[in-house]
Amino acid sequence: GNRERFILPFGKRMSFARSLESHRAEPRARRVTVFGGTWNVNGRRPSASADVSAWLIPNSESSTGFAVYDQGMRAPYDVYMIGMQEVQTLSGMNAVATDTSRGRAWKDELQRVLSKTGEQYKCLVSRQMVGIMLVIFVRSTLISSV
């Protein structure tokens, strides 16, 4: 019945078990800073009129684009979780069909903007359902720990 669908074949179970063992070998604690934000882009494509640079890597002391550590040091976040709404216009067929080219354009723009921080980030996941999109970027030096 339905139970069989959830049982992994033996080889995959063993691979998963080995993966868990390798992570147990050397547990290390590390402080990780996370930026979480969401923005309604109102169906616009990435451009100068929809610039996310000031939101993600602003220059002012009071802005949210940098983590502030205990000693007052400022640095880009380790993880950026970014939600976007209306990455495509939501009228006619666009209201029920996902235009992945629009989401890809925004993911590429976010990657471009994060590269301005002086750090390298990798996209851990990018998912789009019609006009809603979630993208998670992780500092490249931490990607193996995630």
Side-chain angles (χ1 to χ4, degrees), residues 77-133:
Y77 288 91
D78 296 316
V79 178
Y80 284 84
M81 298 185 316
I82 302 165
M84 301 187 108
Q85 301 87 43
E86 296 186 42
V87 294
Q88 66 187 51
T89 54
L90 299 176
S91 60
M93 279 303 292
N94 283 339
V96 293
T98 300
D99 180 358
T100 57
S101 68
R102 297 295 290 266
R104 195 171 23 256
W106 275 108
K107 181 181 83 89
D108 292 346
E109 174 65 4
L110 293 168
Q111 182 84 56
R112 186 189 70 74
V113 168
L114 289 176
S115 72
K116 293 179 181 179
T117 64
E119 297 290 334
Q120 290 186 351
Y121 290 88
K122 292 196 178 192
C123 181
L124 182 65
V125 66
S126 174
R127 295 291 184 264
Q128 180 184 350
M129 186 174 74
V130 189
I132 301 294
M133 186 171 90

Side-chain angles (χ1 to χ4, degrees), residues 33 65-69 73-77 80 139:
T33 57
F66 291 89
V68 178
Y69 294 93
M73 290 176 21
R74 290 165 49 89
Y77 288 91
Y80 284 84
R139 193 184 297 249

